[in-house]
Amino acid sequence: MASQNGGNSQKLLVLTTFAYRKPDMPAEDYHRYISEIFVPLSSDIMARHGCVRRFIAHNHAVPRELAATIADPYPVEDFLDYDAVITTVVSDAEKFKRMKQEPYWKEKIIPDWKNFTDTSRNRVTVGWLEERIRDGVIL
């Protein structure tokens, strides 16, 4: 059986944020803000503190008809309505925790969330990464 991380013995932590845009913000502006402002603002500090991968699923971009055919057997009514899902993969949880104590994180990153996302409705999960297929290859 393959290891949890495709042959890599290091456990990778996954922080997944299910995010809603601010109620008064158009979807296109929200997704542009994430990609063009928030990601560049936060990527350097995250990479220096153990983030090894980061993905953003822009959920508005896929028509529901296409989503319904891909997500079969789940009906469209069961789809989550988050505007984005941000997945952050971390190699060193302690280092990542220390990042959150840095002044830049507290003064720039945390306040910036309020510029584009509805923090009262966002949800987060944390778990261990188990990779089973990479680049079309079963691990």
Side-chain angles (χ1 to χ4, degrees):
M1 181 195 273
S3 74
Q4 286 187 326
N5 297 309
N8 182 354
S9 61
Q10 180 183 25
K11 276 184 133 178
L12 297 175
L13 191 67
V14 180
L15 170 71
T16 305
T17 304
F18 298 87
Y20 287 105
R21 68 181 186 270
K22 286 179 18 176
D24 61 339
M25 185 176 230
E28 290 298 327
D29 292 349
Y30 172 77
H31 294 286
R32 189 175 311 108
Y33 194 97
I34 289 174
S35 295
E36 297 176 11
I37 296 173
F38 182 71
V39 168
L41 182 71
S42 58
S43 289
D44 183 63
I45 190 171
M46 292 178 76
R48 287 187 287 115
H49 285 85
C51 178
V52 295
R53 291 183 213 133
R54 193 173 190 197
F55 308 95
I56 299 153
H58 297 274
N59 294 340
H60 78 297
V62 177
R64 288 182 85 72
E65 300 78 32
L66 174 59
T69 62
I70 293 172
D72 181 37
Y74 302 104
V76 173
E77 300 81 41
D78 289 347
F79 286 10
L80 297 175
D81 64 347
Y82 295 101
D83 294 296
V85 178
I86 303 168
T87 305
T88 304
V89 181
V90 177
S91 64
D92 185 337
E94 291 305 314
K95 194 173 180 182
F96 200 72
K97 286 183 345 189
R98 286 192 300 272
M99 170 194 72
K100 296 186 175 230
Q101 299 308 310
E102 283 203 19
Y104 181 82
W105 186 265
K106 291 178 177 181
E107 296 165 12
K108 300 286 186 192
I109 305 304
I110 296 303
D112 191 61
W113 270 93
K114 292 177 177 55
N115 290 329
F116 66 99
T117 191
D118 183 351
T119 57
S120 70
R121 296 176 62 211
N122 292 353
R123 297 293 177 258
V124 175
T125 64
V126 178
W128 294 111
L129 177 68
E130 183 172 338
E131 186 176 23
R132 295 300 181 170
I133 299 174
R134 182 187 308 149
D135 298 327
V137 177
I138 298 171
L139 303 174

